[in-house]
Amino acid sequence: LAYLELGHLYKETQHYELATKSLEKAFNAMAQVTPNRRALCATDLGVCYALLQNHEQACHWWKTAISVYPMLLHPYLNLGHALENQGVFEEAEYYFRQASEIAPHDSRACYNLARLYSKLEAWEKAIEQYERQLIFEPNNPWIHSDVANCYLQQGNILRGKDHLLKTVELDPEGEAGRCAQFIIEGLHAAEV
């Protein structure tokens, strides 16, 4: 516990190198601790290594967290992000899908999959994930904006406009609404 608390203190004060040393000692001393706590420690280790730009060690510790306690969501999301940033899209998709299975009511996995599919221009898959996210957050104007973008990329102007109009309705004075209004005006100008 002392190593764990010291590691968290170092992490909070942005002394990540010292945090990794303390957290590794804590992890190694946690043989009799619940798997959930060991996995949380391994996840924190991964975060500290990521903040030190040591992505190989970060991924190692997140995978360790998963092997210790497969029901913890954050290591899957962290691995997905790290792999996506490295351009390893197929493996990133795997971890985001695993996150979705572990926490089917958590919209973060949907959002991450949708973003990944958009990068890959897999518009149908992206739309499917954004639509799932809308189940959790039906009044989020940015999700409607993202869905609209996917439909527009497919050439489906009517469906795209529907979501742009919903974006404007939900956020008439905000950035999402203003952007959507700008796109709608551009679409009208193209029709003329």
Side-chain angles (χ1 to χ4, degrees), residues 104-176:
H105 301 295
D106 190 312
S107 67
R108 290 175 293 179
C110 301
Y111 172 76
N112 287 306
L113 279 166
R115 186 192 61 247
L116 178 66
Y117 291 141
S118 293
K119 280 184 180 179
L120 298 172
E121 298 182 5
W123 304 117
E124 280 301 318
K125 287 182 175 183
I127 289 168
E128 177 185 328
Q129 292 303 318
Y130 283 129
E131 294 285 356
R132 282 190 61 212
Q133 192 180 5
L134 281 171
I135 293 168
F136 306 115
E137 302 175 64
N139 296 321
N140 185 325
W142 286 108
I143 302 170
H144 286 282
S145 176
D146 291 335
V147 174
N149 179 56
C150 293
Y151 280 122
L152 294 175
Q153 292 295 329
Q154 288 184 314
N156 190 336
I157 306 301
L158 289 176
R159 292 295 305 269
K161 267 189 183 177
D162 287 343
H163 283 281
L164 289 171
L165 291 169
K166 185 68 173 177
T167 303
V168 172
E169 175 189 323
L170 291 170
D171 189 28
E173 301 299 321
E175 183 181 357

